């Protein structure tokens, strides 16, 4: 058997990642949100929102695009932003009651999707898979 008898790992991983991401986003859309909205709400809720640049990187978008998302979410009444009195360059972001409600809906959808994704996979296989993903990530990072 040669390396050309099966698709390269990177190509297979990229195809799978794209398909999973599309399916996850579709599940979130069905619940009334999107992946960027979910990650934003989750980050605010868990208080992991250090700054807009880090959040943009986590979502995989540019800072200006994140600002657009935050503006839209603020206009939809999902969050509020105000300047930090200590550092006026920093915005403090909080969920509104509507943002909390959407967070709960999307959390249910995210957990249901995760359950669907894990179907038929044992904890041991998932742990091994996590190790393989970590090794692939380390190989790419250098």
């Amino acid at each position: 058997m040669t390396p050309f008898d099966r698709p390269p790992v990177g190509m297979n991983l990229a195809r799978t990642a794209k398909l999973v991401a599309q399916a996850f986003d579709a599940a979130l859309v069905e619940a009334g949100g999107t992946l960027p909205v979910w990650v934003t709400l989750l980050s605010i809720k868990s208080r992991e929102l250090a700054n807009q640049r880090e959040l943009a990187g986590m979502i995989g978008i540019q800072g200006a695009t994140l600002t657009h998302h935050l503006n839209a979410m603020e206009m939809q009444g999902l969050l509020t932003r105000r300047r930090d009195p200590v550092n006026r360059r920093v915005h403090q972001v909080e969920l509104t009651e509507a943002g909390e409600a959407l967070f709960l809906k999307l959390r249910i959808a995210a957990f249901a999707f995760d359950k669907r994704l894990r179907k038929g996979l044992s904890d041991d296989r998932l742990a091994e898979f996590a190790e393989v993903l970590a090794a692939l990530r380390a190989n790419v990072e250098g």
Side-chain angles (χ1 to χ4, degrees):
M1 182 176 274
T2 70
F4 300 108
D5 292 335
R6 64 185 109 147
V9 171
M11 184 171 27
N12 194 5
L13 181 62
R15 286 180 180 165
T16 302
K18 184 175 181 177
L19 180 65
V20 169
Q22 288 171 339
F24 184 46
D25 195 49
L28 293 172
V29 166
E30 189 174 314
T34 62
L35 183 58
V37 168
W38 166 241
V39 173
T40 302
L41 293 174
L42 181 62
S43 295
I44 295 167
K45 185 76 174 164
S46 64
R47 293 286 177 218
E48 292 179 9
L49 180 64
N51 61 50
Q52 287 187 198
R53 184 178 11 182
E54 288 179 10
L55 179 59
M58 190 165 128
I59 297 172
I61 58 178
Q62 299 296 316
T65 304
L66 175 63
T67 300
H68 172 75
H69 283 300
L70 292 175
N71 288 342
M73 291 173 71
E74 191 171 26
M75 288 175 52
Q76 293 167 7
L78 299 174
L79 57 85
T80 60
R81 288 184 291 179
R82 59 186 168 81
R83 295 215 183 265
D84 185 326
V86 177
N87 183 350
R88 304 237 352 117
R89 293 182 299 174
V90 175
H91 282 94
Q92 294 178 338
V93 183
E94 294 180 358
L95 297 184
T96 62
E97 202 171 299
E100 292 279 352
L102 182 58
F103 169 79
L104 293 175
K105 272 182 77 174
L106 295 181
R107 184 175 70 176
I108 291 167
F111 276 95
F113 183 81
D114 192 62
K115 184 177 179 181
R116 176 180 152 209
L117 196 59
R118 293 168 176 257
K119 184 179 176 183
L121 298 172
S122 69
D123 288 344
D124 288 343
R125 286 194 72 198
L126 288 168
E128 184 179 358
F129 179 63
E131 289 174 15
V132 170
L133 285 177
L136 292 172
R137 216 173 13 257
N139 290 344
V140 169
E141 290 173 346

